[in-house]
Amino acid sequence: MLNINRDDRLPIWQQLLDQAIHNITTGKWPPGELLLPTRELAQLVGVSRSTIQIVYEELYSRGFTVTSRRGGTRVSEWTYHPISTTTTSPPGPLQPELPTLNTTVTHLQNWLHGKEKTVAAIDFSPHEPYLDDHFHKLWRQSFVQASAKSDLSHWAYGSAYGFEPLREQIQRYLSLTRGVHVQTDQILLTSGAQHSLDLIAQALLQAGDTMSVEDPGFPASWMAMKYRHVEVNPVPVDEHGLQVEDIDPKSKLVFVTPSHQCATGVILSEPRRQQLLHMAAQRPFWIVEDDYDSEYRYRGDPLPTLYSQLPQNTLYLMSFSKMIAPGIRISAIVGPQAAIRQMAQVQELVYRHLPIMEQVTLAHFIEHGHFIRHMRRVRNVYRRRHEAMTKAISAAGLGQRFMLSGVETGLHMLLEAGEDATFDEEALAIQALQHGIKVYPLSMYCLESKRKGWVLGFAKVNEAAIEAGIYRLSKLLL
């Protein structure tokens, strides 16, 4: 028997439907059970026949019942069988074991945050830029003003290439500051360097292809590719950058950070640049040029890009992670139209497009001059902190035992031990953490290289903290 509660907020038909479903799923109404005709049940319950008809129609539409002209309405034979409460629920589908994924993600997390996840008073992170309330105020202003516009077309499905007004702003910026002159259909927006590399792997490489990377170098460059079943060939780096002669002849792609080598900080020398460009044109292969922090140069003008010299073979990566903030998650791939088109097709198939508001806000931020002013302001901050870091290392005597490199450009430098050093860099990193200092071992950037040292970032640490941190570090190392 079904009951109704006229004080219940649920409609009467919903109350009756819930009770009927409960009776079927618990076996109170077994499979094949003939239900009362709608007229008879309505009289028993004390409701209109149309209410019971609604309940029966819902049961039928959900597959709980079957009907026939002569057989009436019956509980489905196949739908529900009582499950004993004494038995445990069967397990769900098994997840495949992905050791490569687990190992790679662990390495990536250790590289970004250090093996010890403890927060330190002085964190020499090489990954994070300087942010303050002034930036936040300007970004919020751009967000409010950009989102106040009533162009509802922005909220529809957008272009897989990315928001066109933002690509136009990036086009102007690259032309003015980096000597990269392209059309907007040669720019593809992504959500970071790893996303960019994943698109490149899917669109331009096949499983089993070989790529060459700097060693030590940018870990995400080989992690993303390995996960896409690309063979990775590590190429040693010396004081002149990538040792071009060691590039695997089978390489379809070479990943390089020529303006400020990721980890060692050295600059790819002009002879090596010409050697790489000549090799790429002759074989041929793709050069992926990651220009992640070249805007911050402390000696001389910014270096010319490889893309400007060999655009048909080069994919130029730029990111706003270091220029503004990692949380914005907007980067760009610049390259030949055909290659960009192919990556845009992959983007459309797999990701569709990026979230719109970050793109709209960044376009406004650049167009109204906030970006250039922000860059000018943080350059001054970084110049002071760069000077404080180099002076502190010299004053503490670290430069006498360790080699300092990567001081011309960027937001980090390398304090490297000699080849005969026997100390454990990771153990010393843990020891430093116990003294309130977080440093990042060079080993996290290495594939096969045995070089040792610490990658020290200075962007998020003020001058006083830099001096104090380097002084404490020197007491542990000397």
Side-chain angles (χ1 to χ4, degrees):
M1 183 65 182
L2 302 178
N3 300 300
I4 60 173
N5 180 1
R6 297 191 182 278
D7 294 327
D8 197 318
R9 291 183 178 181
L10 284 176
I12 290 174
W13 70 268
Q14 184 72 61
Q15 296 180 44
L16 298 176
L17 176 64
D18 291 346
Q19 292 176 59
I21 291 173
H22 175 75
N23 290 342
I24 294 173
T25 57
T26 58
K28 189 173 182 180
W29 293 355
E33 174 86 358
L34 178 64
L35 303 187
L36 291 174
T38 56
R39 190 184 305 277
E40 186 177 341
L41 183 58
Q43 291 175 351
L44 286 173
V45 177
V47 297
S48 67
R49 184 187 178 195
S50 61
T51 299
I52 301 300
Q53 287 175 327
I54 291 172
V55 173
Y56 277 26
E57 287 170 2
E58 279 294 313
L59 290 173
Y60 175 75
S61 67
R62 301 187 192 189
F64 289 107
T65 61
V66 293
T67 61
S68 65
R69 289 185 178 180
R70 296 183 179 181
T73 299
R74 296 179 181 274
V75 176
S76 295
E77 292 283 352
W78 53 269
T79 310
Y80 284 92
H81 299 280
I83 298 176
S84 173
T85 56
T86 59
T87 61
T88 59
S89 299
L94 293 176
Q95 295 178 196
E97 297 228 355
L98 300 173
T100 301
L101 177 64
N102 296 334
T103 302
T104 300
V105 170
T106 299
H107 190 149
L108 188 65
Q109 291 174 343
N110 291 340
W111 166 67
L112 272 174
H113 308 293
K115 285 191 175 181
E116 301 294 325
K117 303 303 186 287
T118 309
V119 176
I122 302 173
D123 186 351
F124 289 117
S125 170
H127 313 298
E128 299 181 47
Y130 168 76
L131 296 171
D132 61 8
D133 290 338
H134 183 69
F135 157 74
H136 184 246
K137 176 183 176 182
L138 293 177
W139 184 263
R140 186 173 64 246
Q141 179 180 321
S142 282
F143 175 82
V144 170
Q145 293 178 0
S147 58
K149 295 182 179 180
S150 59
D151 189 349
L152 297 181
S153 66
H154 293 168
W155 297 95
Y157 287 111
S159 168
Y161 283 83
F163 187 51
E164 186 166 6
L166 176 54
R167 286 186 285 130
E168 290 171 352
Q169 294 301 325
I170 292 173
Q171 175 194 35
R172 294 190 187 100
Y173 175 78
L174 290 175
S175 179
L176 290 171
T177 65
R178 302 299 289 128
V180 173
H181 308 290
V182 293
Q183 303 301 315
T184 55
D185 62 356
Q186 294 179 256
I187 301 173
L188 176 68
L189 300 184
T190 70
S191 64
Q194 287 158 263
H195 182 193
S196 298
L197 290 164
D198 189 48
L199 286 175
I200 291 169
Q202 292 184 71
L204 303 180
L205 299 176
Q206 295 180 329
D209 282 349
T210 299
M211 72 170 292
S212 290
V213 298
E214 299 165 319
D215 185 22
F218 180 45
S221 66
W222 69 75
M223 291 177 185
M225 292 294 183
K226 278 187 172 182
Y227 192 67
R228 291 295 180 183
H229 308 291
V230 174
E231 297 295 325
V232 174
N233 170 59
V235 180
V237 172
D238 60 19
E239 67 272 20
H240 301 295
L242 183 78
Q243 295 183 9
V244 178
E245 65 275 9
D246 290 331
I247 291 175
D248 191 313
K250 300 187 299 295
S251 292
K252 299 289 184 66
L253 180 150
V254 174
F255 181 90
V256 64
T257 51
S259 296
H260 187 237
Q261 203 274 325
C262 182
T264 68
V266 300
I267 295 170
L268 187 64
S269 68
E270 186 59 29
R272 295 271 179 90
R273 285 169 175 259
Q274 295 306 316
Q275 185 183 6
L276 177 61
L277 292 169
H278 179 76
M279 185 183 292
Q282 291 299 312
R283 285 188 178 175
F285 55 71
W286 288 108
I287 298 172
V288 176
E289 178 183 12
D290 189 355
D291 200 32
Y292 65 103
D293 66 359
S294 65
E295 289 82 1
Y296 309 118
R297 184 160 169 78
Y298 309 107
R299 297 177 185 173
D301 296 326
L303 298 171
T305 63
L306 298 176
Y307 181 87
S308 61
Q309 299 176 71
L310 192 66
Q312 68 271 25
N313 285 68
T314 307
L315 300 170
Y316 178 87
L317 306 188
M318 69 168 294
S319 172
F320 289 94
S321 294
K322 295 290 193 297
M323 291 191 286
I324 301 181
I328 291 175
R329 304 313 303 152
I330 295 181
S331 297
I333 310 174
V334 179
Q337 288 173 324
I340 295 297
R341 185 187 312 116
Q342 194 143 310
M343 284 183 274
Q345 289 177 320
V346 173
Q347 174 116 299
E348 185 166 13
L349 176 65
V350 181
Y351 308 102
R352 192 61 191 91
H353 59 76
L354 301 183
I356 187 62
M357 277 316 302
E358 287 83 353
Q359 299 180 80
V360 170
T361 303
L362 181 55
H364 183 283
F365 193 77
I366 299 173
E367 182 181 2
H368 289 78
H370 299 318
F371 176 65
I372 292 296
R373 287 190 290 271
H374 171 76
M375 291 289 289
R376 188 182 302 125
R377 192 166 58 88
V378 298
R379 277 193 190 102
N380 291 329
V381 172
Y382 294 149
R383 188 172 288 107
R384 292 195 300 269
R385 294 182 177 184
H386 170 270
E387 184 178 358
M389 176 79 86
T390 52
K391 284 184 176 180
I393 289 173
S394 176
L398 289 171
Q400 297 174 9
R401 181 176 176 187
F402 301 95
M403 183 173 68
L404 184 64
S405 63
V407 297
E408 291 88 357
T409 308
L411 304 181
H412 77 265
M413 53 189 72
L414 175 66
L415 193 64
E416 185 173 7
E419 295 180 0
D420 59 343
T422 57
F423 58 81
D424 187 334
E425 60 174 5
E426 291 190 18
L428 280 167
I430 294 173
Q431 190 178 355
L433 193 59
Q434 294 169 351
H435 288 77
I437 316 157
K438 195 163 191 177
V439 294
Y440 295 76
L442 182 59
S443 58
M444 288 293 99
Y445 294 78
C446 296
L447 266 169
E448 295 180 356
S449 174
K450 303 302 181 185
R451 295 170 67 172
K452 297 179 180 180
W454 297 271
V455 180
L456 303 175
F458 52 84
K460 63 176 292 187
V461 192
N462 64 40
E463 290 89 327
I466 288 171
E467 292 178 10
I470 293 299
Y471 177 77
R472 288 188 216 173
L473 187 62
S474 69
K475 296 301 180 184
L476 298 174
L477 297 178
L478 298 179

